[in-house]
Amino acid sequence: MSLPPEKASELKQIIHNHLIKMNIHGKIRDVLAETVREDLDPGRSSLSEEDILRALQRRGIVDDVMKDLHFSKEVPDTELGLQNIPKPATHFIDTDPTKLKKTNVDPARRYLYLQVLGGKAFLEHLQEPEPLPGQVCSTFTLYLHFRNQRFRSKPVPCACEPDLQEGFLLEIHREGLGDGSKMADATTMLSICDPVHLVLIKRDTSSETTLVSSYFLDWRTVLSSPSGKTSIAVELHGVGSECKVAAGVLNMSLELYPPPSEILSPDIITTQRSLERQKTAEKERLFLVYAKQWWREFLEIRQENQSKLVKIFAQDENGVNRPVCSYVRVLRAGRLLESPRQAARFVSLLGLEKAPVVGGGGGGKQEQWCSLLAFLCRNKGDCEDHATLLCSLLLGFGLDAYVCVGTKPKGLAHTWVMTRGTDSTITFWESLTAHRYLHQAVDPDAPPLAPQPRPSYPYRTVGCVFNHKAFLANCQPSDAVELCAFDFHNQSQWKVMSEEAVGSVCSPGSTTSLPPLPPLCGPSLEPSAASNQLELEMRYLVVEHRKDLGLATVWDDHLSYVLSSALAAYELERCTGTSCGNEEFQDAVRRAVPDGHTFKGFPIHFLHRNARRAFATCLRSPFCDEIVCCRGDRVRLAVRVRVFAYPESACAVWVMFACKYRSVL
């Protein structure tokens, strides 16, 4: 029997790992020492290979190896009788969480097996009762990111000792040119300073998410373990104003597969960490010295600069002060997003939530810019999180994008995104709504009767702009957006921070304190199934509501189907800014509504899939209430739901209620 080269190498690796697991080298050494003592004749100076093999066979070592070495055979699906199993219908999804997926493990690569063995001391949930079977309760979900790999655990009920039992296989690969297929040795792994980023999210019974903790785990302690395996207890801390308060403890085990042949001493690992911290601290110190000097120079330019909103540093969820430029990176979405406008639509679908303030005193909001992984896992954040994500995506699409820091009317602090075209066109992007505005500066020196452009954007002042490479402060006489010129090469209008200084602490890999950039994950729901489920729930709620009013409900399925084209056109308009398909929809409605009948329709948009919340919101509108509670002759009702799936569990939900009835005078 001949094997292809890759199978042969895989077989060798399996046998090699099995021998290491049996400690075969130690057994051979013991047998060799015993044989030398007992069997070696005084006249012979060495043992032959046959002598050693005979000794191993005599002591049963060879039999033990062959007895424990098993090879599994993959059985085709047809042999298991699976060929006749029908495929599921398009509106059902297999949601069995216990089904295990096979993972292709490359025997030529190194892996870190991170196992979560449960939690304890989550004291906030000390009084939480044990959930009954089938009862809806709050849950914990753990998210991981390591070197471009993302994972999440199954949700478990919130408790003082949550039953988080999960294993994650993380690949440790080299980054050098041509080294991607080589196995990382102990020295290479020691130089990999990328942490495992852990984010713990709580989801309550109404599907609202809360960021519980964000933790960066240095996994390299396992390199000093003789067996390539170690157990640790990770103390998680809260976020924002509670970043110094313990949130709970996760018990974990770390295991390298295959175990490294070289074991590093703990002193070497401690020294490496210390050197990395010193290098990072020195870079941050030098940048701080430079930033202070740059700020003094900026204040000396003109008196008005003291009141401008110029933000060089911002606190993340762990209370760490970081340069704002480090929150922006070039982010490419692969095939998940097709255009800059679709990227803006995706960002606008992530919820808006300001960081909570304990006590709420002072009237101001809590300052908290989130790392990208924490923002994506929570699926909501403040305007700064939206703006930095949108800027990162626009940079990935090749645009010259910047985050603007300024104010809206009434002096409210706000951030948005700006792009500069090659023809010097300035476009503002509102990350919370995906709206785009063209900026045309007002000429303050123009004659009083000269026509001036009227700004359509909701921004009043701009203090500074930044991206991953540049930081610029507005030093023009006025920081009013309508009067600003965005010629960044004009040093009398914008004070530029040194690109080299910004890059020393903000470029990827410049410091070990920078959170690694996670990739975007694809949609987690199947749009057709989600649309059908939500539509069925909406129909049930309408029937029950009308029953309470003493009204019967008759559905018009054809009219419901006709509404689909309108919902698709609404979403397309939100993505592209252009409207299309309205003529076909109007024509179809005219054909579906007989002469002498009246048609009424009410579309509405949501960012969630909670039917009861959505229906309650709809009934607050007098137009929708008039349709749902319609009375008359030959009343026919229709409802259509369309769920549009986007990356990171984001979704746009469109619901349209309609009715037709015969007009009676």
Side-chain angles (χ1 to χ4, degrees):
M1 181 182 72
S2 62
L3 287 173
E6 62 272 11
K7 286 291 183 184
S9 63
E10 184 176 347
L11 182 61
K12 289 178 184 176
Q13 188 66 43
I14 291 172
I15 296 172
H16 174 70
N17 295 336
H18 178 68
L19 295 177
I20 291 176
K21 186 178 177 182
M22 286 188 62
N23 190 24
I24 194 67
H25 297 295
K27 292 182 178 180
I28 291 175
R29 277 195 296 270
D30 295 341
V31 171
L32 187 58
E34 189 178 338
T35 305
V36 169
R37 275 198 314 271
E38 297 177 0
D39 301 343
L40 187 60
D41 297 332
R44 293 173 61 189
S45 60
S46 63
L47 288 171
S48 66
E49 189 176 333
E50 289 79 9
D51 295 333
I52 297 174
L53 279 173
R54 275 198 302 272
L56 291 172
Q57 287 174 335
R58 195 163 59 244
R59 286 160 179 78
I61 303 296
V62 176
D63 291 337
D64 290 343
V65 171
M66 298 308 294
K67 181 176 64 179
D68 295 336
L69 190 60
H70 299 291
F71 298 97
S72 60
K73 179 185 177 184
E74 291 189 3
V75 183
D77 290 346
T78 53
E79 294 181 26
L80 296 174
L82 301 179
Q83 71 271 26
N84 295 322
I85 295 177
K87 292 184 179 179
T90 55
H91 55 279
F92 290 110
I93 311 174
D94 182 11
T95 56
D96 181 14
T98 60
K99 183 180 288 186
L100 298 177
K101 293 183 179 179
K102 286 186 178 180
T103 303
N104 292 324
V105 177
D106 187 346
R109 295 207 175 192
R110 185 86 64 190
Y111 295 89
L112 173 68
Y113 183 54
L114 187 151
Q115 204 168 2
V116 183
L117 305 172
K120 60 183 180 182
F122 285 84
L123 301 180
E124 190 175 330
H125 303 277
L126 188 61
Q127 304 297 328
E128 205 134 320
E130 191 77 21
L132 299 172
Q135 179 186 357
V136 178
C137 61
S138 300
T139 59
F140 281 142
T141 306
L142 184 66
Y143 295 82
L144 273 77
H145 169 233
F146 178 68
R147 294 172 73 78
N148 228 34
Q149 304 161 74
R150 286 182 59 183
F151 302 89
R152 71 173 177 183
S153 70
K154 295 188 292 289
V156 300
C158 293
C160 183
E161 296 185 356
D163 189 28
L164 276 165
Q165 304 279 345
E166 203 79 49
F168 307 95
L169 193 65
L170 313 175
E171 183 182 326
I172 305 174
H173 51 267
R174 292 165 172 252
E175 290 186 332
L177 190 62
D179 289 342
S181 60
K182 296 179 182 177
M183 184 179 290
D185 56 16
T187 307
T188 303
M189 288 189 286
L190 181 64
S191 66
I192 297 175
C193 56
D194 296 33
V196 179
H197 191 181
L198 308 171
V199 170
L200 186 63
I201 297 292
K202 175 186 175 182
R203 187 180 298 272
D204 65 17
T205 52
S206 61
S207 296
E208 288 295 318
T209 56
T210 306
L211 177 61
V212 178
S213 183
S214 174
Y215 185 85
F216 295 93
L217 171 67
D218 192 335
W219 53 275
R220 291 174 291 182
T221 50
V222 72
L223 298 176
S224 63
S225 173
S227 61
K229 183 176 182 179
T230 186
S231 297
I232 56 173
V234 173
E235 185 181 32
L236 303 179
H237 285 82
V239 295
S241 57
E242 300 178 20
C243 62
K244 305 296 183 187
V245 181
V249 176
L250 289 181
N251 294 318
M252 294 183 177
S253 74
L254 304 173
E255 182 178 4
L256 289 172
Y257 173 82
S261 56
E262 180 186 0
I263 306 301
L264 302 180
S265 73
D267 292 341
I268 292 177
I269 298 172
T270 304
T271 303
Q272 174 72 14
R273 287 175 173 171
S274 177
L275 289 172
E276 290 170 356
R277 281 196 297 268
Q278 289 174 14
K279 186 179 177 182
T280 294
E282 180 62 14
K283 285 185 176 183
E284 291 175 346
R285 185 189 68 80
L286 291 174
F287 179 76
L288 182 59
V289 170
Y290 169 78
K292 286 181 176 179
Q293 177 62 30
W294 181 92
W295 176 246
R296 281 194 295 268
E297 294 171 359
F298 174 71
L299 294 180
E300 290 170 359
I301 294 175
R302 63 178 79 248
Q303 185 70 26
E304 294 84 356
N305 286 357
Q306 294 186 6
S307 61
K308 291 179 181 176
L309 198 54
V310 178
K311 192 165 192 61
I312 304 174
F313 296 92
Q315 275 193 358
D316 66 9
E317 68 267 25
N318 291 324
V320 177
N321 272 310
R322 289 166 43 199
V324 291
C325 295
S326 68
Y327 290 89
V328 178
R329 308 279 276 275
V330 178
L331 180 59
R332 296 181 179 88
R335 306 245 178 219
L336 299 177
L337 298 169
E338 301 294 341
S339 68
R341 295 194 185 191
Q342 192 180 26
R345 174 63 173 156
F346 155 63
V347 174
S348 71
L349 294 174
L350 300 174
L352 173 66
E353 181 183 79
K354 300 185 183 299
V357 181
V358 177
K365 68 169 186 174
Q366 170 76 25
E367 162 93 347
Q368 180 181 305
W369 294 32
C370 274
S371 62
L372 182 54
L373 184 67
F375 176 40
L376 294 176
C377 295
R378 192 170 52 145
N379 252 48
K380 60 185 178 183
D382 211 337
C383 61
E384 295 89 357
D385 305 320
H386 288 79
T388 52
L389 173 57
L390 178 56
C391 185
S392 299
L393 288 167
L394 296 184
L395 288 168
F397 278 109
L399 300 182
D400 188 20
Y402 300 82
V403 175
C404 300
V405 179
T407 61
K408 292 197 296 185
K410 298 183 180 178
L412 296 174
H414 189 62
T415 57
W416 66 97
V417 179
M418 178 196 80
T419 54
R420 297 195 312 154
T422 53
D423 57 353
S424 301
T425 303
I426 303 299
T427 306
F428 293 144
W429 302 65
E430 177 49 63
S431 58
L432 299 179
T433 62
H435 291 164
R436 300 165 67 252
Y437 308 96
L438 195 64
H439 173 261
Q440 292 177 306
V442 173
D443 184 4
D445 300 324
L449 297 179
Q452 295 275 22
R454 296 193 62 177
S456 59
Y457 42 79
Y459 315 120
R460 175 157 292 178
T461 66
V462 56
C464 64
V465 300
F466 66 89
N467 61 15
H468 63 306
K469 286 184 176 180
F471 185 92
L472 306 98
N474 184 0
C475 54
Q476 297 171 65
S478 171
D479 59 356
V481 177
E482 59 187 23
L483 299 177
C484 278
F486 290 90
D487 179 9
F488 294 158
H489 298 292
N490 188 336
Q491 296 185 9
S492 66
Q493 296 176 344
W494 295 90
K495 181 164 177 61
V496 184
M497 195 173 274
S498 162
E499 188 173 324
E500 184 181 350
V502 171
S504 68
V505 289
C506 297
S507 62
S510 57
T511 64
T512 55
S513 60
L514 279 184
L517 181 70
L520 291 184
C521 285
S524 60
L525 59 88
E526 207 280 308
S528 298
S531 301
N532 286 344
Q533 178 64 30
L534 190 54
E535 188 170 311
L536 288 173
E537 293 175 10
M538 282 294 186
R539 284 196 174 204
Y540 171 78
L541 292 171
V542 170
V543 170
E544 291 297 308
H545 185 72
R546 288 177 62 85
K547 192 184 293 183
D548 292 341
L549 299 174
L551 300 173
T553 305
V554 182
W555 295 103
D556 187 331
D557 291 334
H558 174 65
L559 184 59
S560 295
Y561 181 72
V562 166
L563 302 179
S564 293
S565 61
L567 301 184
Y570 297 151
E571 182 60 23
L572 185 64
E573 185 177 2
R574 291 289 180 99
C575 273
T576 63
T578 56
S579 178
C580 64
N582 193 40
E583 299 82 2
E584 293 89 345
F585 171 64
Q586 290 181 359
D587 187 63
V589 168
R590 290 191 189 99
R591 291 176 179 277
V593 179
D595 291 340
H597 284 62
T598 300
F599 170 82
K600 292 181 179 179
F602 175 78
I604 190 169
H605 174 253
F606 297 100
L607 302 183
H608 62 81
R609 292 181 290 124
N610 187 312
R612 291 193 179 275
R613 274 174 58 197
F615 189 63
T617 303
C618 292
L619 290 181
R620 292 193 199 108
S621 166
F623 301 106
C624 183
D625 185 67
E626 187 179 330
I627 292 171
V628 172
C629 306
C630 181
R631 297 171 183 265
D633 186 21
R634 296 183 187 176
V635 175
R636 298 292 183 268
L637 294 175
V639 63
R640 193 64 170 173
V641 175
R642 281 292 305 274
V643 176
F644 297 88
Y646 284 84
E648 298 295 338
S649 304
C651 63
V653 178
W654 285 96
V655 181
M656 191 167 185
F657 294 95
C659 69
K660 65 178 183 181
Y661 58 93
R662 192 168 71 173
S663 302
V664 180
L665 297 176

